[in-house]
Amino acid sequence: MPELAYRDALNQALSEEMARDPRVFLMGEEVARYNGAYKVSQGLLDKFGSARVVDAPISELGFAGLGVGAAMLGLRPVIEMMTWNFAILAMDQIVNNAAKLRHMSGGQLRCPIVFRGPGGAGGRLSSQHSQALEANYAHFPGLKVVAPGTPADAKGLLKSAIRDENPIIFVEAELLYGSRGDVPEGEYTIPIGKADIKRPGRDVTLITWSRMLTAAVLPAAELLAQQGIDAEVIDLRSIKPLDHETIAASVRRTNRVVVVEESWPFASVGSELSDFIQRECFDDLDAPVRRVTGLDVPMAYAANLERAIQPSPERIIEAVNAVLYRPG
Amino acid sequence: MHSPQLLLTMYRKMVLARRFEEKAGQAYGQKKIQGFCHLYIGQEAVVVGINEAIRPDDMVMTGYRDHVHPLVRGSDAGMLMAELFGKDTGYSKGKGGSMHFFDVEHHFYGGYGIVGGQIPLAAGMAFASKYRNEDRITVCSFGDAASNQGALHETFNMASKWKLPVLYVVENNKYGMGTDIARVSAQPDIHKRADAYNMRGESVDGMDVLAVHDLVKELAASIRAGKGPVLLECFTYRFRGHSMSDAATYRTKDEVESERKRDPILKLREHILERKVAPEARLDAIDEEEKRIVDEAIAFADQSPEPPIEDVWTHCLVADGEADVKPRERVRGATDVKWPSYPTDFKVTWELEPREPKDEPQRAPSRKKGAA
Ligand SMILES: Cc1ncc(C[n+]2csc(CCOP(=O)(O)OP(=O)(O)O)c2C)c(N)n1
Ligand SMILES: [Mg+2]
């Protein structure tokens, strides 16, 4: 299996799906001649031409809505948001139109569209450019939300997202684009709604997704292993629909859970997970669910503050010790 | 010269629209219809003039004042009324209500409740037509107040730059709810804003169905020929309040009365009689026929069941292999429903942005991480 960077895995998925299906087009800022702000669309303009790889003006609301209209008429737009921070300007089109069209029309219309781009911390970019916003979209019925943490998952999930009949929020990670991993070649998809156990273990379940997987959770699990604690790591990959079965089965094995997420704690994906677990796995739990989240403040620029705001292996180990009632 | 048939068709449709809205207003008073309900009374010439000037397979969409746009395209009046009544037999099975009419069979792509929110969608539909090299155009209406939305400006810029086949229609009834458009607009001549986007802007007396029709015929041909989008401002007036809950105290009696003298239906009726296209009795008969259609629509909506409670879960997401719902087939058992189907295998020949030699990059693009 060839090793690829996360951005190149995404590029392969786009390229393969565009070659396979003429209805697929990519639109966004800097996607064509500049080859993408993060080079995800490298080479696509040359391969597919300027009607299928479209440089849009800086009008997130406008081109998000344009994509929705094209999807209503049988195309399969992939709308690149330079980052999810800027998609906040497009939220009306995503939430009020894409997510509700099938419903408002009583099943007459469908909206097969992918909104994709990087989310999460950007690396010394301060508050407006460093936000993990997936919980916002997961809130709305009518949207699916996907956030892959590895190159292989990025490729397989993007291909599934493009083929899906529904609007998909596809959250990449700004700091993962250069990360490398094995990626299967050619036709290969990962079903939306299936979590993946990235590290099996017996003592505690760590649930996470996107960049936190490799940036904090797997390193924490290695440190815990050195201390004789065998952590299971679940990578959600899809936030909505949520893979309740994989989560519940793991909790039944380990009886202890820590949720690790980059975003803020209030009304987050972690809150939803905690609610689900206490409700459905109450008798299996030996400790209350703990959460390790971004601190409830906007992201700071200073290096030490930026580090302190995000979950770290240290904070994860602290939470694991708490659910194991183990002195730190 | 307009053919007698065209004149009578337009008359019939305007009367149907008027009767439908009057009856909807009455039903609202009886609490059979609730929520927001925006009537089109007074503005009929705009929708009918446009509809008779475009093709049946062109696409139409508008905001929440949306009852009449599908009605004049041929939608089932009973099923539209049933949607207003929140019944299972409505076009959206009672999920949409007054503000969200959809009839894909008749290429009516919706009723949208966020002011101006449909404007980008229309550009996307036009994009799809151009992408597949079809010659259908999209007609998107919105109110005067919607023209102050950012969505409009973002969209006009793209639609004009990419020469998308779309006709934008401002139904300028002078007010956005209670606010006179001139009070909140630095440029109240809305069609002039098209200039800012190198786009053609036109205006027309929206109480004159023939003038609307004739201008739109020409505009539609120009748009279909690939000459780019057009912004058409139709000066019209709503005789009722903004919605059923609006007593319209912000307008003087004099203003409303003088506008009522421009009633587009009376105007067309006079024209038909003057030209001796049909005698008064014929027009009275049309009035009666359309009234009966609307009475039947009310009876149908009244007698229809509410949606089954299990339906609360349907049409949120499309399941694997799930087909689209064809309302007339589902409700009336119609076997003649033509549903749009789009090719999955075709070649995209459109060069959206042809490259000129000067555009060629000077050196190979760098592969280092970009910045936002
Ligand atoms: C984004 C948004 N803001 C406010 C409203 C509330 N609202 C509904 S209709 C309306 C007035 C719009 O007037 P106009 O665009 O002129 O259309 P008209 O009702 O006159 O046909 C307002 C303020 C809304 N639905 N959406
Ligand atoms: Mg108005």
Side-chain angles (χ1 to χ4, degrees), chain B residues 43 64-65 142-146 170-177 179 181 236 238 242:
Chain B
Q43 305 186 195
Y64 44 83
R65 200 178 293 285
F142 48 89
D144 41 279
V170 192
E171 298 170 343
N172 185 347
N173 57 16
K174 294 192 178 154
Y175 297 88
M177 283 185 71
T179 302
I181 189 65
T236 182
R238 57 172 158 72
H242 164 72

Side-chain angles (χ1 to χ4, degrees), chain A residues 121-200:
Chain A
R124 310 298 306 279
L125 296 182
S126 185
S127 53
Q128 294 184 329
H129 282 74
S130 291
Q131 311 183 75
L133 296 169
E134 46 271 25
N136 289 265
Y137 297 95
H139 189 65
F140 295 103
L143 299 175
K144 294 185 182 179
V145 182
V146 176
T150 68
D153 289 343
K155 178 174 177 185
L157 280 167
L158 184 53
K159 286 169 74 85
S160 294
I162 291 171
R163 295 179 195 186
D164 203 278
E165 296 294 330
N166 297 286
I168 313 275
I169 304 297
F170 194 94
V171 183
E172 299 157 13
E174 194 159 337
L175 292 177
L176 281 183
Y177 282 129
S179 68
R180 303 181 70 82
D182 290 342
V183 179
E185 272 175 297
E187 178 59 19
Y188 145 74
T189 58
I190 290 178
I192 292 174
K194 284 298 303 167
D196 186 37
I197 297 179
K198 287 288 193 298
R199 183 188 194 284

